[in-house]
Amino acid sequence: MEQAPGDWTDTERGLWDAFRQGEVYDLRAGRGRARLLLPAPAGRTVRPDGEEHGPDDPFAAGEWGPERTVRAEVIARLLLHGPAAAPGKVTALKLTGARITGEFTLAGGRIDCYVEFQLCRFERKLLLSEATAGTLRIVSCALPRLEASRLASEGDVHLARCGIPGGVRLTDARIGTDLLLNQSAVGPDAYGRAVSADGISVNQDCEAERLDLLGELSLRSARIGGRLSLRGGSLRAAGPDNPNAINAARITVGHTLYLSGSEDANWSGSRTVYGSGYGGSTVAAPYRDTTHTPFRSWGRIRLSDGRFENAVLITNAEFHLGEGEELTLSRIQTPELRFTCDTPPTGAVSLNRARIGNLVDAPAAWPTEHHVSLTGFSYESLRPTEPFPLERRIAWVDSGREFRPEAYEQLAAALRRDGADEDARTVLYAKQRRRRRTLPLPGRVWGHLQDAAVGYGYRPGRAAAWLVIAWVLGTAYFAAHRPAPVKADEHVLWNPALYAAGKVLPLIDLGQNGWDPDRPGQWVATALVLTGWVLATTAVAGVTRLLQRG
């Protein structure tokens, strides 16, 4: 029977035997079921209240002696060139409560067995670059840094409830099933990135709920087969050298992106790294009657050119954006965007050239002061979660720094699809008034005249009112200044009201053409004719639009 090397310690020989049996090797000082502890917040060495959880707390300062120490080279030997399994057993490395010393290098290696570390302390960074593994679980552990670029796993990779002050690198990694980062606290590397996972491919879900980062979450060109959940997360940019909280340009998500709150009841007292709800509520009470931890970020959020096959849910989220920072959703494509934050982002939101099916939003969720950019933004329908007054919706499309007529056209088209033709005309009328502010002085003067007279053609009732005023004024003038008959021997019945109506409605003969006004009367008649042509055609066009709904 194969034996452990002679220079290994008694503790390490015990790990050898546990590996062959596929059993948990527990080096904790206490006994009973292992309690999966939470790390200190990212960027801190101790928890805010200074609380420690006894001698088995991997995030506390207590010393762990040689009886709990395993050299990294011992673990590497077991994983890369380990002994055969005991008869009827499957080899597995399941290590709990150990202090792991020395350089931990598995880069380029092939790990064929199940690997699980719980409540362990790693003194040096863990190197897994270009390694191949089955399932890898590092849970509630303290490690300086994880280097795992181009890691290929056939199963899950769990990095839950870990404290990793030097960052995680998963660039171009391939995860066979799920990637789990729930409740971990990760600090920045030398480039201000906490989690660097550009080009990563995850076949199923990426769960990163209540993730605490100091530094950028970089997911450029990542491919997530299922959902990407950042519910209840706290993401802070590392500083001015890297102002990004999230950089996920060109990401592809096969289901849903969650930038939303996390229900507290799912996590309080939970003994698992999934929470008791595993992404769903376990409480029957309405959403607003339960407590949640919001998603919070400090720094730029970049999701431009992303593809989300089911939805993007931005709810119960806080975006703290500094000067020049924005939440960028430019050119994203998704069947539904839900934007229902209780408080608006403190900076700009860009939806330039994004393509959305349903836009589900709330009035209070959007920033004001011209901080929403909607250039080329297209959507099929509007489904607000609460009453969204039309004047606020118009202010929303007018919230860009520059006048963009297509934003008004898109809103009007969406309203028409919902049967709100009158609201659509109000939007197009607002577009003309907003456009007027961009014109030179002569154009602005002419625009004011058009607005006052006919409402740019979108207020036919106003044109009809002016038409009536012109007729009343014409009637009053000709009642006081009766013209002479064209032919003195003809006796035409004089009616100033019909005569004035015949001028303002020039295509209608009301039998009052046999009169010859004097020179001032000719000018009044000409003014009535011109006014009639302009206002009557405008009123007729407005009535025609009313009769052609849809």
Side-chain angles (χ1 to χ4, degrees):
M1 175 175 146
E2 192 173 357
Q3 300 292 326
D7 60 345
W8 284 19
T9 66
D10 290 341
T11 300
E12 292 166 349
R13 290 192 185 96
L15 180 59
W16 174 283
D17 294 335
F19 177 82
R20 296 187 66 241
Q21 298 290 332
E23 297 176 347
V24 174
Y25 192 53
D26 192 346
L27 296 176
R28 291 178 299 141
R31 287 296 176 259
R33 182 171 180 173
R35 179 185 176 191
L36 300 180
L37 303 175
L38 292 173
R44 302 182 187 179
T45 57
V46 296
R47 298 181 179 92
D49 54 5
E51 182 181 4
E52 296 185 10
H53 298 276
D56 295 319
D57 187 350
F59 310 109
E63 291 292 334
W64 290 2
E67 74 282 358
R68 301 182 63 174
T69 299
V70 178
R71 291 173 292 165
E73 61 187 77
V74 168
I75 298 174
R77 165 70 185 275
L78 291 172
L79 295 179
L80 301 178
H81 306 286
K89 303 292 183 177
V90 177
T91 58
L93 183 79
K94 302 177 182 179
L95 184 57
T96 300
R99 170 175 167 255
I100 300 169
T101 62
E103 189 74 31
F104 202 152
T105 302
L106 298 171
R110 181 174 184 83
I111 305 168
D112 293 321
C113 64
Y114 175 84
V115 180
E116 179 179 286
F117 297 96
Q118 287 192 14
L119 297 168
C120 291
R121 290 180 183 172
F122 293 79
E123 290 194 347
R124 304 285 292 274
K125 65 182 178 182
L126 178 55
L127 300 176
L128 288 170
S129 299
E130 302 189 32
T132 302
T135 292
L136 176 63
R137 299 184 77 241
I138 303 175
V139 177
S140 203
C141 292
L143 61 156
R145 177 170 170 79
L146 174 63
E147 285 276 0
S149 56
R150 296 175 296 282
L151 168 70
S153 79
E154 296 177 358
D156 293 350
V157 173
H158 289 190
L159 295 169
R161 300 194 183 187
C162 289
I164 312 174
V168 174
R169 184 176 178 84
L170 288 165
T171 304
D172 297 318
R174 300 188 304 278
I175 311 300
T177 48
D178 295 335
L179 173 62
L180 193 73
L181 296 164
N182 291 345
Q183 295 182 298
S184 284
V186 186
D189 62 12
Y191 301 98
R193 299 189 184 100
V195 177
S196 182
D198 297 339
I200 193 173
S201 176
V202 180
N203 283 349
Q204 295 186 20
D205 295 338
C206 179
E207 292 281 336
E209 300 199 2
R210 304 206 172 205
L211 179 64
D212 181 17
L213 298 187
L214 175 58
E216 178 186 55
L217 171 60
S218 185
L219 291 166
R220 292 177 297 177
S221 301
R223 301 183 67 86
I224 312 296
R227 61 182 182 175
L228 172 57
S229 179
L230 294 166
R231 282 182 280 212
S234 176
L235 282 63
R236 290 162 288 163
D241 292 338
N242 187 344
N244 294 326
I246 299 177
N247 187 357
R250 303 179 301 280
I251 191 173
T252 300
V253 176
H255 197 264
T256 301
L257 168 64
Y258 295 89
L259 297 180
S260 57
S262 170
E263 193 170 286
D264 294 338
N266 287 348
W267 292 100
S268 58
S270 174
R271 294 181 177 180
T272 76
V273 293
Y274 296 99
S276 57
Y278 191 51
S281 176
T282 58
V283 180
Y287 181 88
R288 293 194 178 275
D289 293 340
T290 59
T291 59
H292 295 74
T293 295
F295 170 85
R296 297 184 176 99
S297 70
W298 290 263
R300 293 190 305 202
I301 305 291
R302 187 182 179 210
L303 297 169
S304 50
D305 298 292
R307 301 292 182 271
F308 308 92
E309 299 300 328
N310 186 64
V312 175
L313 304 185
I314 303 177
T315 63
N316 192 17
E318 300 174 6
F319 298 97
H320 303 274
L321 303 167
E323 184 68 27
E325 297 175 348
E326 69 176 12
L327 167 58
T328 303
L329 301 169
S330 300
R331 299 179 298 279
I332 69 167
Q333 295 184 27
T334 183
E336 179 170 303
L337 171 62
R338 183 176 291 267
F339 199 92
T340 56
C341 305
D342 292 332
T343 57
T346 59
V349 176
S350 174
L351 282 160
N352 293 338
R353 291 181 291 283
R355 296 173 60 187
I356 307 297
N358 293 331
L359 176 60
V360 182
D361 61 350
W366 298 102
T368 56
E369 302 297 330
H370 301 295
H371 285 323
V372 181
S373 184
L374 301 174
T375 302
F377 176 40
S378 63
Y379 45 92
E380 292 297 322
S381 60
L382 295 168
R383 296 293 180 263
T385 58
E386 57 188 76
F388 206 133
L390 183 60
E391 60 271 16
R392 294 198 63 174
R393 187 64 81 180
I394 291 173
W396 173 67
V397 298
D398 190 31
S399 56
R401 297 184 183 278
E402 298 180 357
F403 169 62
R404 298 295 182 185
E406 63 268 25
Y408 294 85
E409 298 286 349
Q410 176 64 44
L411 175 57
L415 292 171
R416 279 195 294 268
R417 283 192 289 270
D418 287 339
D421 288 352
E422 182 60 34
D423 288 347
R425 285 190 292 273
T426 300
V427 170
L428 295 176
Y429 175 40
K431 180 191 77 171
Q432 295 295 339
R433 303 187 79 176
R434 174 65 178 87
R435 174 180 174 272
R436 185 175 68 209
R437 300 204 298 266
T438 68
L439 300 175
L441 180 60
R444 292 199 302 273
V445 172
W446 174 241
H448 280 292
L449 291 175
Q450 287 182 294
D451 190 357
V454 297
Y456 287 101
Y458 295 104
R459 293 291 180 264
R462 188 177 300 177
W466 282 112
L467 201 64
V468 170
I469 291 173
W471 169 69
V472 170
L473 293 176
T475 299
Y477 177 83
F478 287 110
H481 303 83
R482 177 175 176 172
V486 175
K487 298 179 180 179
D489 56 344
E490 291 185 358
H491 298 284
V492 182
L493 182 63
W494 168 243
N495 189 319
L498 292 179
Y499 183 80
K503 298 302 179 182
V504 296
L505 300 173
L507 296 180
I508 300 177
D509 186 1
L510 298 177
Q512 293 292 317
N513 292 326
W515 301 96
D516 184 20
D518 56 10
R519 185 178 297 275
Q522 291 177 357
W523 284 107
V524 172
T526 301
L528 291 176
V529 170
L530 295 176
T531 300
W533 274 108
V534 173
L535 297 179
T537 53
T538 300
V540 169
V543 171
T544 302
R545 281 195 294 269
L546 286 173
L547 297 175
Q548 293 178 338
R549 291 183 178 273

